[in-house]
Amino acid sequence: QSVLTQPPSASGTPGQRVTISCSGSSSNIGSNPVNWYQQLPGTAPKLLIYSIDQRPSGVPDRFSGSKSGTSASLAISGLQSEDEADYYCAAWDDSLNGRNVVFGGGTKLTVL
Amino acid sequence: QVQLQESGPGLVKPSETLSLTCTVSGGSTSSYYWIWIRQPPGKGLEWIGSIYYSGRTNYNPSLENRVTISLDTSKNQFSLKLSSVTAADTAVYYCARGYSIDYWGQGTLVTVSS
């Protein structure tokens, strides 16, 4: 029961374009930047997209982010086998007790 | 290059207090948010709480009555204490930095068991 809602799984074939959605509310995605993280098995999450659509240095431009209202999306184009991982969205949430961080439940991406 | 490293016991007994420290190198804890996040085995990420460099803290409401996060800028470290632990607190615990949560430690597995 994560605050942000993601599909539990997604899949695609090499070269395809895949999108992963993240749904929230006015107190989080609706009013704050969204970040996306990639987690390979047995490793710590890695920042993939920040502030909705910005890529840290070293992240390929195959990864892109967008936001509309209280929902956000991560798109991966030219899918590669090494993209098989878990993906999480996150946002700061302006709640009654201050600024909290909320995560999506994660989406497991399988490259067929 | 900023690096974060978690340290602390890997095994804690039920009802005791879990204590972890995150040591920051390549950057200063005199700015940014500093964050603790955990991930139970096979599950998703859960934010535990944050401390701003000013000392202001925010905690996950579900853990708020058991959590304390503190910051020691002289040692470039910040710490997590979670009291009255149960098996449900078994998880990989990560420390991380910043509004974008851009740098993460490698994580440390803490098992709660007698």
Side-chain angles (χ1 to χ4, degrees), chain A:
Chain A
Q1 50 277 57
S2 302
V3 174
L4 305 182
T5 301
Q6 296 180 238
S9 64
S11 63
T13 56
Q16 263 191 334
R17 183 176 187 270
V18 171
T19 61
I20 297 172
S21 62
C22 176
S23 177
S25 67
S26 58
S27 65
N28 42 66
I29 293 178
S31 54
N32 290 296
V34 179
N35 303 326
W36 289 91
Y37 302 89
Q38 177 193 60
Q39 187 176 34
L40 299 170
T43 68
K46 167 192 165 186
L47 180 64
L48 206 58
I49 298 286
Y50 68 98
S51 296
I52 305 172
D53 60 0
Q54 302 300 299
R55 285 185 307 276
S57 173
V59 173
D61 60 6
R62 302 186 296 104
F63 295 90
S64 61
S66 63
K67 182 178 110 167
S68 177
T70 58
S71 293
S73 292
L74 172 71
I76 310 171
S77 60
L79 198 62
Q80 300 180 2
S81 57
E82 57 260 39
D83 298 333
E84 188 160 289
D86 293 325
Y87 292 84
Y88 294 89
C89 59
W92 288 82
D93 186 296
D94 297 315
S95 67
L96 290 174
N97 71 333
R99 307 210 80 196
N100 301 339
V101 176
V102 291
F103 285 98
T107 298
K108 184 174 185 62
L109 176 63
T110 301
V111 181
L112 303 169

Side-chain angles (χ1 to χ4, degrees), chain A residues 2 32-33 35 37 39 43-47 50-51 86 88 90 92 95 97-105, chain B residues 33 35 37 39 43-47 50 56-61 64 94 98-102 104-107:
Chain A
S2 302
N32 290 296
N35 303 326
Y37 302 89
Q39 187 176 34
T43 68
K46 167 192 165 186
L47 180 64
Y50 68 98
S51 296
D86 293 325
Y88 294 89
W92 288 82
S95 67
N97 71 333
R99 307 210 80 196
N100 301 339
V101 176
V102 291
F103 285 98
Chain B
Y33 282 98
I35 298 165
I37 293 162
Q39 185 172 34
K43 296 189 178 181
L45 301 169
E46 179 182 33
W47 173 74
S50 308
R56 186 180 74 240
T57 54
N58 284 99
Y59 301 130
N60 188 319
E64 190 165 23
Y94 296 101
Y99 190 69
S100 298
I101 318 180
D102 49 3
W104 296 62
Q106 65 185 23

Side-chain angles (χ1 to χ4, degrees), chain B:
Chain B
Q1 174 78 349
V2 176
Q3 293 185 316
L4 293 85
Q5 178 68 57
E6 305 88 353
S7 60
L11 181 64
V12 181
K13 290 182 168 55
S15 80
E16 295 190 345
T17 296
L18 178 160
S19 295
L20 295 174
T21 296
C22 183
T23 301
V24 180
S25 57
S28 171
T29 55
S30 297
S31 55
Y32 294 104
Y33 282 98
W34 301 96
I35 298 165
W36 286 99
I37 293 162
R38 69 181 183 179
Q39 185 172 34
K43 296 189 178 181
L45 301 169
E46 179 182 33
W47 173 74
I48 299 171
S50 308
I51 186 165
Y52 198 43
Y53 71 93
S54 63
R56 186 180 74 240
T57 54
N58 284 99
Y59 301 130
N60 188 319
S62 68
L63 301 169
E64 190 165 23
N65 61 346
R66 298 194 291 132
V67 174
T68 303
I69 296 175
S70 57
L71 180 65
D72 187 339
T73 55
S74 67
K75 294 183 179 178
N76 235 25
Q77 295 177 332
F78 62 107
S79 299
L80 168 70
K81 291 189 185 301
L82 181 66
S83 64
S84 305
V85 297
T86 69
D89 296 308
T90 293
V92 175
Y93 285 75
Y94 296 101
C95 58
R97 183 196 86 161
Y99 190 69
S100 298
I101 318 180
D102 49 3
Y103 289 98
W104 296 62
Q106 65 185 23
T108 186
L109 175 62
V110 179
T111 302
V112 178
S113 174
S114 56

